[in-house]
Amino acid sequence: MNFKNLLKGHKTIIFDGAMGTMLQKETLPQGVCPESYNLSHPGIITKIHEAYIAAGAQVITTNTFGANRLKLATYHLENEQAKLIQAAVKAARQAIKNQKVLIAGDIGPLGELVEPLGKIAFELAVDVFTEQAKYLKKAGCDCLILETFTDLQEMRAALVAAKGVGLPVIATMTFEQGLRTVTGSDPRTVAVVMQSLGADIIGANCSSGPQELLAVAREMAAVAQVPVLIQPNAGLPKLENGRTVFPLSAEAFAGCTDEFLRIGVSCLGGCCGTTPEHIKQLADGSRRMAVKNKTKNKVSKTYLSSRTKVVEIGEYPVIIGERINPTARKLLAEAIRNKNYTLILDEARAQIAAGCDLLDVNVSVPGTEEKETIKKLVLDLSTITEKPLVLDSPDAQVLAAGLRNFPGKALVNSVTGEKEKLKALLPLVKQYGAAVVGLCIDESGIPKTWQKRVEIAGKIVKAADQAGIPRTDIFIDCLTLAVSAEPEGVAGTLRAISEVKKKLGVRTVLGVSNISHGLPNRVLVNASFLSMAIAAGLDAIIMNPLDEKMQETVSAAAYLAGRDPNGKRYLAKFSAQSLSTTPAAGSQDVPASLKQRIISGDKDGIQVLTEQLLAKEKPLDIINGQIIPALEEVGARYEAKTYFLPQLILSAECAQVAMKLLRQEIAKDKTVPAVKPATLVFATVAGDVHDIGKNILIAVLQNYGYHIVDLGKDVPLKKIVAAAKKYRAEIVALSALMTTTVIEMPKVIQALRKEKLGTRVIVGGAVVTPEYAGQIGADGYGKDAIETVRVIKNLVSR
Amino acid sequence: MVKLNIDIREKEVLRYLRFDPARTKLDDKIGQLVRETILLGKRRVRPRFAYQVLNILENNGRKVRVKGFIIESKNVAKILRHATAVVLFVTSIGLDLEKEIDRLFRLGEPSKAVILDAVGSEAEEALTDSLQQQLMSEYSDFKATPRFSPGYGDWDLKANKGILKLLDAKKIGVKVSPALMLLPQKTVTGVWGLSRGK
């Protein structure tokens, strides 16, 4: 009996039930490490395994759930790891004797979250899991089971580790009510990511009862390409007399068995609160029905994902936003050099708002530490967007840093047909469960003929096959050159696209803006070429999603090419647009719409709208005619309490998007004399760590054109004075929340006065009153953000 | 073992954000944002608590003495005048949520950050409610008095030091700064009394 044989045939595979519940029945005392029983009471462990085998379990799970270095250390047992694991597997082996039962080495989560949600670096997590997996393999486990994981990124680390030791791997996560894991992943995302990382069986465990897990199972089975395992609890736990009780009887527990099998689940077992009796009912029930096919789904779609959502690529073409790329974009390159990522995050948001499906991330700036940059950006981007990332670099090390830290299934852009490159990159793609772009280029450059390009594509696909990357996860880029330089190349590219799809059954991807290089009316040429490529079968388009013409071309071309059945998407997009976002003829509505959008806090599309306005109006006119009236209206509504705090701030965020663009324009215009803005220094005083009020004020103030220096919280007096001096601050704004910290304010004011800087001081915070502000000699006091803006305006204009 | 159920009420979150039910209009977009942020907040709440149930040894109207601690407050003494025992407690939702708030401000999403702050306040309140409810279900012969915390009325903030020491709050990652500020920020200490009766 081995793992491969287990998966054959048409029978449900039965797993065992809870170990912890059984141990508690055997009176495991509170506070004792459950794994320590492997050494102190191996007989009890063997007895539990025997009971599950007798009940019909074909796979039993070792008592090693928490046997990782970090968890054992909390019991001061980290040096006993090898012994505890060895004893666990031995106890399981003794229960099996000569029966056809497999041992799954159990690996549970670390008990601490992986970056960015927690402190554990991905690499450390892989290390700790690898150690546990190696001991389990050495002790003789037939396979490994990773279970009860709550965070997808931690599961990724465990899978990378487990696959690394070379045993078959089973992976299950737990879901909360609302069908999400604790850190927000839905069942499809979990399934896609786990199977891409090489899990041989995927599924869900713990969570809740069988009834609640049906919905999770349905979602997972819809995208699963490997068998699905479900191990529910014996119902939702209840509290009775201070004890946790699982309410479902064995019969009730097995009540959903038929339904699970119908959905396509082929492996069943139990988790918390289940006993051998529960497993027996499950085993008996499952005999009534044959499992159709354990790996039923023939792959046809491509799935990419972020931590929380899957993007399906089937017939309809997807858009890859190309704007996060510092090549020929000075501001971006500068931002990367200065490690100032807000500009890049804004680029991401704008592209998403414009409707891209995937985000390309290229951080290649000469002389910078690209590995560091990509790690940092991937962590930040993965918290602000739900879009899968396309990691864009030819460098294996940079790609590895990105792949490790992206908590989903990314697309690697790209590998060429050069032998060395294939050897270096494809194993990486496989290891981290990504998809890959292959460029039709090899040691001798870009081939002229389409035949040669298809040949290189074939070489790449063959190498990817060998690396174990499925065809649906390969995107071939047939490349295109400027039509002005190589007129006959265009037909070749189009031919190559359709041939590659037909012959190799892979996806295709292409950047479409190069084609018009050196020509007038580039937009027209790009859009026309894009339609042709979509007709030829192009799956993914690398383009600027903010370009509306190109967006519209995608919609129309997909419809015309028969890739948008009944024009459903086309109609949905344009019927909606004619009502809301298409600028009306005569453009009278456009200005009103920017003001309106700021007032209603509608962030999507503000960037595009501002760009359109800039083509017709001067930036200052837009500010005075649209943005300021909008902010005044919002402030008035806030004071009348028809708006509350989040609406005030959301409107400020919207205005900020437009203001950024407008300021750039103003800076370009040399006819307007540059006015040095007033500098405001902000600090929460020493000893105080509450900075929410100060941060709210800054968010609202962003739009008023001041130079804002935020010193943060718990700021020592000396640092505030030094900053006031350095920046020649017109105003220093101090915040304090508590009676015990507000006393720092007069000290700062005195110190500033002593320096005779002419700086004015305003104060605010929960315990500060206008009277107190007067007593300590402050120049102003603000009750809330709106009032403080007014106070600041008055002080600065004086 | 005490098992806590933290029920974050949207209405309360809105209240923290100065929502005025009579005047403020909640549009779909903001409503959606608030609900999303509540879900996000739920995932960042790491509840923890410590408590001791102690008999009242003396209550002279100015201070209340229990084993190992003296509550120096007339306000508290008045609330506890019919109580025979007290629960001294500390509850906290941990650091993860406030880190997320910082992160959101840094990433340019202040509206979400502000809502998350309110979610944190409500979660902390709900956590304390839940602890009280759970404990009181074990003392069914007793009635709970209102809760009271240092920093309110005449109960000096300095009492935090003693409470945290008594409850060994270091173990659950709660401490007090030299300026008597509780860390994590969403932490509550305090007392309620147990009085015999219906």
Side-chain angles (χ1 to χ4, degrees):
Chain A
M1 186 70 171
N2 63 28
F3 191 80
K4 242 187 184 163
N5 290 335
L6 184 76
L7 295 190
K8 284 185 189 154
H10 293 280
K11 279 192 188 139
T12 312
I13 303 169
I14 299 296
F15 282 64
D16 57 2
M19 174 60 77
T21 307
M22 297 298 285
L23 276 179
Q24 271 159 25
K25 279 195 178 159
E26 300 285 350
T27 66
L28 173 77
Q30 286 267 342
V32 169
C33 171
E35 284 79 14
S36 68
Y37 261 42
N38 297 333
L39 282 170
S40 63
H41 303 74
I44 292 182
I45 305 292
T46 299
K47 207 173 84 188
I48 295 171
H49 286 313
E50 279 170 348
Y52 279 123
I53 294 171
Q58 297 158 281
V59 182
I60 58 172
T61 311
T62 58
N63 182 34
T64 52
F65 181 78
N68 67 65
R69 193 204 314 159
L70 302 182
K71 260 195 182 166
L72 289 175
T74 60
Y75 298 101
H76 306 292
L77 287 173
E78 65 273 29
N79 295 327
E80 305 292 306
Q81 190 185 18
K83 273 194 227 159
L84 290 173
I85 290 177
Q86 210 174 12
V89 180
K90 194 174 157 199
R93 186 63 67 202
Q94 263 169 8
I96 294 178
K97 299 187 187 85
N98 295 322
Q99 303 166 87
K100 282 187 178 171
V101 172
L102 295 186
I103 300 178
D106 194 11
I107 296 179
L110 300 174
E112 283 175 71
L113 285 180
V114 175
E115 287 180 322
L117 304 180
K119 284 195 191 122
I120 305 244
F122 186 85
E123 292 79 359
L124 173 64
V126 173
D127 226 42
V128 173
F129 285 126
T130 301
E131 198 174 43
Q132 190 180 359
K134 274 188 176 159
Y135 285 130
L136 286 164
K137 185 184 180 187
K138 199 172 155 206
C141 290
D142 301 294
C143 55
L144 298 172
I145 182 164
L146 318 173
E147 49 126 343
T148 324
F149 279 67
T150 55
D151 174 47
L152 189 56
Q153 182 65 341
E154 187 180 359
M155 174 53 96
R156 290 184 72 242
L159 267 165
V160 167
K163 289 304 284 185
V165 306
L167 283 179
V169 182
I170 303 157
T172 62
M173 292 192 70
T174 80
F175 292 82
E176 305 199 303
Q177 287 147 317
L179 304 191
R180 298 233 167 203
T181 64
V182 171
T183 57
S185 309
D186 65 24
R188 281 180 189 238
T189 305
V190 169
V192 163
V193 171
M194 294 196 308
Q195 70 192 7
S196 300
L197 282 160
D200 299 274
I201 296 178
I202 58 172
N205 77 306
C206 209
S207 319
S208 49
Q211 195 66 47
E212 292 81 9
L213 275 182
L214 274 173
V216 173
R218 233 176 252 126
E219 289 290 304
M220 284 190 139
V223 297
Q225 288 149 3
V226 294
V228 176
L229 162 68
I230 302 288
Q231 294 190 283
N233 290 342
L236 289 168
K238 278 195 218 157
L239 215 78
E240 273 174 24
N241 304 324
R243 279 189 51 222
T244 313
V245 181
F246 290 89
L248 285 193
S249 68
E251 291 76 17
F253 177 75
C256 296
T257 307
D258 287 2
E259 188 59 29
F260 275 123
L261 300 184
R262 224 171 285 136
I263 291 170
V265 172
S266 53
C267 314
L268 287 168
C271 202
C272 306
T274 58
T275 63
E277 187 48 34
H278 289 83
I279 298 305
K280 185 168 184 324
Q281 290 288 338
L282 212 57
D284 291 350
S286 70
R287 283 198 201 104
R288 289 197 298 268
M289 226 163 117
V291 176
K292 279 177 215 128
N293 196 339
K294 294 195 180 94
T295 52
K296 67 169 172 77
N297 273 355
K298 261 284 151 246
V299 196
S300 64
K301 283 185 178 159
T302 298
Y303 301 104
L304 296 171
S305 89
S306 61
R307 181 198 292 278
T308 48
K309 272 205 180 124
V310 168
V311 169
E312 265 185 31
I313 306 173
E315 269 300 293
Y316 198 85
V318 293
I319 295 171
I320 301 175
E322 68 180 6
R323 290 174 62 92
I324 303 180
N325 188 332
T327 321
R329 294 193 64 190
K330 250 182 164 174
L331 277 177
L332 271 191
E334 202 51 39
I336 288 174
R337 225 173 260 125
N338 299 333
K339 301 186 174 25
N340 169 15
Y341 301 125
T342 39
L343 185 68
I344 301 173
L345 299 180
D346 284 344
E347 275 297 349
R349 287 194 194 99
Q351 293 183 88
I352 292 162
C356 76
D357 302 292
L358 309 168
L359 272 178
D360 191 90
V361 182
N362 182 319
V363 296
S364 171
V365 176
T368 60
E369 195 42 69
E370 284 179 44
K371 271 192 303 185
E372 274 308 303
T373 313
I374 201 148
K375 174 179 173 181
K376 189 77 208 355
L377 255 184
V378 161
L379 290 176
D380 279 357
L381 283 170
S382 65
T383 58
I384 66 154
T385 91
E386 291 195 313
K387 299 292 174 194
L389 300 185
V390 180
L391 302 171
D392 187 353
S393 169
D395 183 327
Q397 290 200 25
V398 174
L399 288 170
L403 285 168
R404 275 195 284 270
N405 290 289
F406 182 60
K409 180 177 176 188
L411 175 59
V412 166
N413 184 15
S414 55
V415 63
T416 63
E418 297 160 277
K419 270 208 182 97
E420 285 303 309
K421 290 278 178 189
L422 290 169
K423 223 169 83 186
L425 291 181
L426 292 181
L428 208 59
V429 170
K430 176 68 189 165
Q431 184 184 11
Y432 294 107
V436 65
V437 171
L439 298 181
C440 292
I441 182 171
D442 65 5
E443 287 83 353
S444 42
I446 303 180
K448 283 220 156 61
T449 65
W450 65 264
Q451 290 91 340
K452 186 78 181 87
R453 290 189 195 178
V454 176
E455 193 185 311
I456 295 175
K459 222 164 52 177
I460 295 171
V461 170
K462 196 173 156 201
D465 284 347
Q466 279 165 1
I469 299 165
R471 295 280 173 106
T472 41
D473 284 348
I474 305 168
F475 289 71
I476 293 295
D477 187 336
C478 296
L479 297 168
T480 174
L481 298 171
V483 64
S484 51
E486 211 172 290
E488 67 286 357
V490 177
T493 300
L494 296 173
R495 179 73 189 265
I497 290 175
S498 56
E499 289 292 326
V500 156
K501 284 194 75 163
K502 203 160 61 190
K503 278 206 180 124
L504 302 170
V506 295
R507 302 275 169 208
T508 52
V509 59
L510 192 64
V512 290
S513 338
N514 275 345
I515 193 87
S516 59
H517 203 77
L519 291 181
N521 202 351
R522 290 191 65 173
V523 179
L524 176 64
V525 177
N526 289 346
S528 305
F529 178 61
L530 175 58
S531 315
M532 294 170 157
I534 288 175
L538 182 62
D539 294 295
I541 308 137
I542 303 176
M543 59 174 250
N544 176 6
L546 300 186
D547 187 333
E548 249 178 275
K549 187 103 237 140
M550 293 294 275
Q551 286 267 8
E552 290 172 359
T553 305
V554 173
S555 304
Y559 186 13
L560 294 173
R563 298 172 66 179
D564 178 11
N566 301 322
K568 219 171 145 189
R569 288 176 183 242
Y570 179 86
L571 292 172
K573 178 168 178 176
F574 289 101
S575 359
Q577 231 184 44
S578 66
L579 293 175
S580 67
T581 62
T582 312
S587 85
Q588 276 302 312
D589 294 346
V590 177
S593 157
L594 179 61
K595 180 181 165 193
Q596 212 46 52
R597 271 171 200 238
I598 292 172
I599 291 173
S600 64
D602 189 0
K603 216 166 164 184
D604 295 353
I606 288 223
Q607 176 137 357
V608 178
L609 200 57
T610 312
E611 279 170 3
Q612 286 171 356
L613 276 175
L614 271 171
K616 305 178 198 101
E617 288 186 49
K618 286 198 174 124
L620 270 177
D621 294 340
I622 302 174
I623 294 174
N624 291 324
Q626 306 292 325
I627 296 179
I628 290 178
L631 293 174
E632 277 171 358
E633 171 68 23
V634 170
R637 289 189 189 185
Y638 179 68
E639 294 200 310
K641 291 197 172 172
T642 54
Y643 264 21
F644 71 140
L645 192 56
Q647 287 165 311
L648 173 71
I649 296 169
L650 196 57
S651 290
E653 273 175 51
C654 292
Q656 178 65 10
V657 174
M659 286 299 285
K660 262 193 191 158
L661 252 147
L662 295 171
R663 281 199 200 109
Q664 282 170 20
E665 279 307 306
I666 293 172
K668 273 190 219 158
D669 188 351
K670 300 283 179 256
T671 62
V672 182
V675 186
K676 195 180 158 283
T679 297
L680 317 179
V681 168
F682 286 80
T684 299
V685 296
D688 203 314
V689 296
H690 299 91
D691 58 353
I692 186 107
K694 182 206 71 191
N695 289 342
I696 290 171
L697 177 60
I698 291 175
V700 173
L701 264 176
Q702 294 281 2
N703 294 306
Y704 291 82
Y706 301 117
H707 172 220
I708 291 172
V709 179
D710 181 8
L711 300 178
K713 55 193 174 188
D714 193 6
V715 186
L717 183 151
K718 276 189 184 153
K719 202 172 156 192
I720 299 176
V721 176
K725 238 190 210 167
K726 179 176 167 196
Y727 297 104
R728 297 167 186 238
E730 266 83 350
I731 292 180
V732 168
L734 302 175
S735 165
L737 187 97
M738 313 242 304
T739 48
T740 47
T741 54
V742 78
I743 49 174
E744 182 75 11
M745 283 180 170
K747 294 182 199 159
V748 178
I749 294 176
Q750 278 163 25
L752 283 168
R753 300 279 183 252
K754 224 173 171 180
E755 295 286 332
K756 296 206 167 63
L757 301 167
T759 303
R760 297 198 170 91
V761 183
I762 60 169
V763 295
V767 295
V768 182
T769 60
E771 293 74 34
Y772 184 76
Q775 275 169 27
I776 62 173
D779 301 290
Y781 156 82
K783 162 171 78 73
D784 60 19
I786 288 292
E787 191 183 294
T788 313
V789 169
R790 236 183 337 252
V791 171
I792 289 173
K793 270 195 198 161
N794 281 334
L795 284 177
V796 170
S797 63
R798 244 194 265 157
Chain B
M1 228 197 16
V2 179
K3 169 108 182 164
L4 298 179
N5 175 31
I6 300 175
D7 178 23
I8 297 175
R9 294 157 296 183
E10 192 178 323
K11 217 176 91 190
E12 292 301 305
V13 173
L14 293 178
R15 195 175 56 79
Y16 281 112
L17 293 166
R18 298 180 221 173
F19 183 85
D20 182 335
R23 285 187 275 187
T24 314
K25 289 187 218 107
L26 188 68
D27 59 54
D28 287 352
K29 187 166 22 53
I30 290 285
Q32 179 68 19
L33 189 64
V34 169
R35 282 186 291 276
E36 264 173 32
T37 311
I38 288 177
L39 283 179
L40 169 72
K42 277 186 181 166
R43 300 199 283 264
R44 295 290 181 278
V45 170
R46 310 273 178 258
R48 59 206 59 204
F49 58 85
Y51 65 90
Q52 278 198 30
V53 185
L54 299 162
N55 285 325
I56 293 178
L57 305 175
E58 185 196 347
N59 180 352
N60 63 12
R62 276 172 288 119
K63 50 177 94 173
V64 180
R65 198 159 60 82
V66 296
K67 194 181 167 203
F69 195 72
I70 296 171
I71 303 169
E72 298 190 44
S73 156
K74 283 185 205 162
N75 298 134
V76 177
K78 193 171 170 203
I79 284 175
L80 296 180
R81 65 192 182 279
H82 300 303
T84 53
V86 298
V87 177
L88 277 165
F89 70 90
V90 52
T91 57
S92 175
I93 61 164
L95 268 175
D96 285 8
L97 186 132
E98 65 192 63
K99 276 194 202 142
E100 184 74 28
I101 294 173
D102 286 347
R103 212 180 156 70
L104 287 170
F105 270 121
R106 193 167 55 76
L107 297 182
E109 299 199 27
S111 50
K112 215 168 178 181
V114 167
I115 299 171
L116 189 60
D117 184 72
V119 171
S121 301
E122 162 63 2
E124 174 53 32
E125 187 68 23
L127 167 63
T128 310
D129 287 347
S130 175
L131 176 69
Q132 182 167 13
Q133 213 181 1
Q134 280 284 330
L135 283 180
M136 291 315 290
S137 71
E138 286 174 26
Y139 292 91
S140 46
D141 301 344
F142 289 87
K143 238 174 41 176
T145 69
R147 290 201 297 261
F148 209 89
S149 295
Y152 289 88
D154 66 346
W155 197 8
D156 198 299
L157 266 179
K158 281 185 193 127
N160 276 333
K161 277 190 184 165
I163 296 176
L164 294 189
K165 200 169 166 205
L166 179 79
L167 300 177
D168 201 8
K170 247 191 307 191
K171 266 197 185 152
I172 59 165
V174 171
K175 56 183 181 179
V176 61
S177 79
L180 303 175
M181 200 163 282
L182 291 167
L183 303 167
Q185 290 180 43
K186 305 289 182 200
T187 297
V188 171
T189 57
V191 67
W192 77 81
L194 302 177
S195 62
R196 290 245 178 234
K198 300 157 268 178

